[in-house]
Amino acid sequence: MAARIALYEAGAAPSFIEVDPKTKQTGDGADYRAIYSLGLVPALRTDTGELLTENAAILQYVAAQFPEAGLAPAGGLAQFQLQQWLCFIGTELHKGLFVTLLDRTAPPEAKSYSVAKGKSRLEFLADHLADREYLLDRFSVADAYLATVLNWSRAIPVALLDLQSWPALAGYLARMQQRPSVARALQEEYLLYTAELARHKSA
Amino acid sequence: MAARIALYEAGAAPSFIEVDPKTKQTGDGADYRAIYSLGLVPALRTDTGELLTENAAILQYVAAQFPEAGLAPAGGLAQFQLQQWLCFIGTELHKGLFVTLLDRTAPPEAKSYSVAKGKSRLEFLADHLADREYLLDRFSVADAYLATVLNWSRAIPVALLDLQSWPALAGYLARMQQRPSVARALQEEYLLYTAELARHKSA
């Protein structure tokens, strides 16, 4: 979803191919593991045919292909601050917290361990966003990523993690959800997700 | 250690200030939490006084400050492939695997969960490194990071994770440890670590 938001912000005309997270079959009938053996999404196939994986790399690639969209700082320290936030979101939030909480096969002890560590990270992020509209001075691909990750909190029992405990984060997510690129991506991914659930149920 | 290796490769003249991981006191007597509230290392103070955190950002910053050292591709798709590896190491290995395995407070279930997921990542990495000397065409800051993270395997019981199971990874680490910048950083960090243990024991 983060790449989808960034591509919409850039005004790009991408072809999306869905990967079923369970079967790893692609929407056009291929075995995704033959494309990327770990089976992780997203992967981006460039116009010259090369494969790029990992959110931070794909997001910065999209920003660089469409500089007029201003999705990443053009230079100076700000470009490293963007990398700092992409890295923070990828390691501390996405991998360190949400992947474990969203994984039905994760043992309860692994979930509690992730929550105990993750709360301080959310607190730190809430402090940063308390008086800011975006992570940097303006909307960037880091916001596309953060909106995606924070949105997953809706699928997590509030007893485990309740985003409302950090009003700055809940407010940020609500603002981001109003943004046309985010609203569109959310709606499209929601339809894909419900179709996937129906497919698995009937299988 | 990754930043240290990169700085040595760059021929930089940095000032290092140690942070005690337990007390969060710095070597010059400050409270590190007042500098970075999460207390995570590394943090880099630039010559203009700004603070940068997160390995991927610091490593790319160092590479950009010393372009003549060739620690990062200067452009093209390769610069995004560097970001892909930095992100992969940071999320899948550092955060997803090693942080949990090295954390004495992590419950055994959290460790097993990390190992089960992490093995496929190490397998993927071993495939990539089977016929390559470095992650990219030549040594880059991604190798500084990977050598650091794989080196932690020495502190993990082999029953939990044995790097020798992947000869390509064990061979890569052995090659990296021969590299002067890595050998120097390892030696210095080892002395700091043993001094830290002695300090905690006497406290």
Side-chain angles (χ1 to χ4, degrees), chain A residues 165-182:
Chain A
S165 308
W166 300 276
L169 300 185
Y172 170 88
L173 180 58
R175 285 198 306 281
M176 287 297 132
Q177 287 167 344
Q178 298 297 314
R179 201 172 168 94
S181 65
V182 179

Side-chain angles (χ1 to χ4, degrees), chain B residues 175-190:
Chain B
R175 283 198 308 280
M176 288 298 131
Q177 287 167 344
Q178 298 299 315
R179 202 174 168 93
S181 65
V182 178
R184 180 180 167 195
L186 271 173
Q187 171 66 8
E188 290 176 350
E189 297 255 339
Y190 177 74

Side-chain angles (χ1 to χ4, degrees), chain B:
Chain B
M1 194 171 100
R4 190 185 285 271
I5 294 168
L7 287 159
Y8 291 159
E9 289 279 344
S15 315
F16 293 109
I17 301 175
E18 187 181 7
V19 179
D20 187 295
K22 222 173 193 172
T23 65
K24 303 295 179 187
Q25 291 294 298
T26 70
D28 56 356
D31 174 10
Y32 185 59
R33 290 199 182 274
I35 296 165
Y36 182 29
S37 63
L38 282 178
L40 303 171
V41 293
L44 181 145
R45 180 79 72 188
T46 70
D47 289 341
T48 52
E50 290 178 279
L51 198 76
L52 201 60
T53 60
E54 299 292 335
N55 270 306
I58 290 172
L59 290 170
Q60 288 180 90
Y61 178 84
V62 170
Q65 300 310 302
F66 300 90
E68 66 288 358
L71 298 173
L77 192 69
Q79 77 181 96
F80 302 103
Q81 289 167 332
L82 174 75
Q83 291 168 351
Q84 175 182 309
W85 283 114
L86 289 172
C87 186
F88 177 85
I89 299 163
T91 56
E92 301 297 337
L93 302 184
H94 183 163
K95 190 70 193 182
L97 183 60
F98 285 98
V99 161
T100 309
L101 295 189
L102 292 169
D103 182 353
R104 287 173 198 199
T105 71
E109 294 86 350
K111 293 194 181 198
S112 313
Y113 173 72
S114 288
V115 167
K117 280 205 160 183
K119 281 186 172 172
S120 63
R121 278 61 170 170
L122 293 172
E123 188 73 35
F124 168 76
L125 186 65
D127 276 354
H128 180 76
L129 288 171
D131 54 1
R132 282 183 182 88
E133 194 170 353
Y134 307 109
L135 286 167
L136 301 176
D137 288 342
R138 52 172 292 179
F139 182 89
S140 72
V141 287
D143 295 299
Y145 196 10
L146 183 57
T148 298
V149 168
L150 291 183
N151 185 61
W152 293 332
S153 65
R154 300 198 293 178
I156 293 166
V158 291
L160 205 53
L161 191 80
D162 183 0
L163 203 67
Q164 302 300 326
S165 309
W166 299 276
L169 300 186
Y172 169 87
L173 180 58
R175 283 198 308 280
M176 288 298 131
Q177 287 167 344
Q178 298 299 315
R179 202 174 168 93
S181 65
V182 178
R184 180 180 167 195
L186 271 173
Q187 171 66 8
E188 290 176 350
E189 297 255 339
Y190 177 74
L191 292 176
L192 289 170
Y193 178 64
T194 51
E196 175 198 315
L197 290 182
R199 203 164 60 235
H200 290 166
K201 204 177 169 186
S202 72

Side-chain angles (χ1 to χ4, degrees), chain A residues 124-140:
Chain A
F124 168 75
L125 186 65
D127 275 354
H128 180 76
L129 288 171
D131 55 0
R132 282 183 182 87
E133 193 169 355
Y134 307 109
L135 285 167
L136 301 176
D137 287 342
R138 53 171 292 180
F139 182 88
S140 73

